[in-house]
């Protein structure tokens, strides 16, 4: 079976990894003061944060058009028998649903869409595993079974500097933010049932990062080897220092540095920090 792997830009897989593992990427876009930019193509993360810092109008995000998925699937049908298309959580974006619809529109290739129920480098863990399996000749059904199994080992926690971005974009309910006065603290956030919810209320950024580390430590002591990602919203130096400290403390964990690009940055704001991992 020849299986193609597709994902969207919010997995923030580097162009080198995409080329090496033959991963196709469809971008989501940001609308900045009426101008549309496809992330990872028209605008880099740091250009985005520079453009929107202090701007009067807040940016907005849009999912890829269904037609873009459909034409990619049509094109892949020339060389592949099936497609596994892996996307950010359907609880925060219509992208997954768009891939499902496009898959139903094309009849010369079987398309299997996968809802990662998460996003960013953590979604990327699924994509990389799928691409490695596809390169080894596994079928879409085998790959989907492996991804479903991975789901029990995937964890991600993140903190933001200002919850207003998440509230404004409708990705954290006003009720959730207000209950317990979340606006006054630095809550650790995570995904439950595809949507973002507070995990714990913590007073300071330092303590919130420490708490994320404790959660990683629990799994690192259970599993022989893990992959992890430190994910930052334009605070690379802090993220690199944190990652170096984590790498020294957890030698069985393979860390990588990643970022919240323009689309996710629109909803989290500058200064967000995340830690995600999975058992190897
Ligand atoms: C769209 O317009 O369809 C895109 C909406 C993206 C919402 C992003 C919300 C924040 C996600 C944080 C993910 C953190 C993963 C570690």
């Amino acid at each position: 079976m020849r299986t193609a792997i597709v994902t969207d830009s919010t997995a923030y897989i580097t162009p080198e990894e995409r080329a090496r593992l033959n991963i196709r990427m469809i971008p989501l876009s940001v609308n900045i003061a009426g101008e549309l930019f496809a992330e990872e193509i028209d605008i880099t993360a740091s250009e985005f944060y520079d453009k929107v810092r202090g701007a009067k109008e807040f940016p907005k995000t849009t999912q890829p058009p269904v037609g873009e998925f459909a034409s990619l699937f049509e094109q892949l049908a020339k060389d592949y028998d099936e497609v596994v298309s892996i996307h950010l959580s359907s609880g925060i974006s219509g992208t997954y649903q768009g891939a499902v619809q496009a898959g139903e529109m094309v009849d010369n290739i079987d398309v299997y869409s996968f809802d990662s129920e998460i996003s960013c480098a953590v979604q990327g863990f699924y994509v990389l595993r799928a691409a490695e399996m596809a390169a080894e000749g596994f079928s879409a059904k085998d790959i989907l079974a492996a991804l479903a199994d991975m789901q029990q080992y995937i964890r991600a926690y993140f903190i933001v500097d200002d919850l207003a971005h998440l509230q404004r974009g409708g990705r954290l309910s006003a009720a959730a933010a207000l209950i317990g006065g979340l606006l006054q603290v630095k809550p650790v956030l995570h995904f439950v049932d595809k949507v973002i919810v507070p995990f714990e209320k913590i007073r300071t950024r330092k303590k919130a990062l420490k708490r994320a580390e404790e959660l990683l430590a629990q799994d690192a002591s259970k599993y022989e080897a893990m992959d992890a990602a430190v994910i930052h919203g334009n605070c690379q130096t802090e993220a690199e220092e944190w990652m170096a400290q984590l790498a020294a403390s957890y030698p069985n964990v393979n860390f990588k540095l990643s970022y919240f690009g323009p689309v996710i940055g629109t909803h989290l704001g500058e200064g967000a920090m995340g830690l995600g991992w999975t058992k190897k």
Side-chain angles (χ1 to χ4, degrees):
M1 275 292 184
R2 294 163 309 162
T3 309
I5 303 301
V6 172
T7 190
D8 58 72
S9 53
T10 69
Y12 301 114
I13 297 195
T14 62
E16 294 73 28
E17 272 176 322
R18 275 190 262 133
R20 183 171 59 81
L21 290 162
N22 212 8
I23 296 164
R24 305 304 203 287
M25 183 276 280
I26 297 259
L28 282 81
S29 299
V30 273
N31 182 328
I32 308 174
E35 210 181 330
L36 208 58
F37 298 86
E39 70 169 357
E40 303 289 273
I41 294 175
D42 302 330
I43 189 166
T44 65
S46 60
E47 282 163 358
F48 163 79
Y49 288 106
D50 286 348
K51 252 183 197 296
V52 300
R53 194 177 303 118
K56 285 202 194 77
E57 215 177 304
F58 293 106
K60 294 191 185 76
T61 59
T62 49
Q63 67 194 65
V66 175
E68 208 169 315
F69 278 114
S71 37
L72 175 62
F73 296 156
E74 292 280 2
Q75 188 198 315
L76 289 171
K78 294 180 196 143
D79 300 311
Y80 294 91
D81 306 304
E82 40 186 27
V83 176
V84 174
S85 201
I86 301 168
H87 301 291
L88 76 161
S89 176
S90 62
I92 55 168
S93 172
T95 304
Y96 162 78
Q97 209 43 53
V100 171
Q101 269 179 44
E104 286 162 359
M105 283 158 63
V106 296
D107 44 21
N108 44 356
I109 189 158
D110 292 326
V111 178
Y112 300 87
S113 296
F114 180 81
D115 182 350
S116 74
E117 304 190 6
I118 188 88
S119 184
C120 304
V122 192
Q123 171 187 338
F125 289 143
Y126 287 112
V127 179
L128 297 175
R129 175 80 57 93
E132 281 158 8
M133 288 184 72
E136 288 167 30
F138 283 96
S139 69
K141 289 215 166 74
D142 291 333
I143 295 171
L144 291 169
L147 300 186
D149 182 61
M150 255 179 101
Q151 234 153 0
Q152 62 188 305
Y153 301 110
I154 289 272
R155 296 283 178 277
Y157 298 92
F158 53 104
I159 59 161
V160 296
D161 251 4
D162 182 359
L163 277 173
H165 298 276
L166 272 171
Q167 269 188 279
R168 200 183 302 117
R171 265 65 178 194
L172 181 73
S173 75
L178 289 171
I179 292 165
L182 282 189
L183 295 173
Q184 278 73 57
V185 292
K186 296 271 175 236
V188 176
L189 304 164
H190 70 155
F191 278 78
V192 174
D193 294 335
K194 305 176 189 176
V195 297
I196 299 170
V197 293
F199 172 72
E200 238 171 58
K201 280 194 290 173
I202 310 254
R203 293 242 153 257
T204 66
R205 181 180 179 92
K206 201 169 160 200
K207 286 189 181 147
L209 296 182
K210 196 74 209 153
R211 182 68 182 116
E213 177 182 341
E214 276 168 22
L215 294 159
L216 173 124
Q218 285 168 13
D219 278 1
S221 65
K222 272 200 299 228
Y223 306 127
E224 209 175 303
M226 298 202 312
D227 281 321
V230 170
I231 314 165
H232 69 92
N234 213 29
C235 44
Q236 183 157 339
T237 307
E238 183 190 0
E240 278 171 352
E241 284 168 10
W242 192 31
M243 190 174 84
Q245 178 237 303
L246 292 171
S249 308
Y250 307 96
N252 61 332
V253 184
N254 173 41
F255 286 93
K256 73 181 211 186
L257 189 71
S258 188
Y259 55 91
F260 295 118
V263 167
I264 301 299
T266 295
H267 295 273
L268 298 188
E270 194 167 22
M273 189 77 93
L275 183 61
W277 63 88
T278 181
K279 174 168 109 63
K280 253 197 188 162

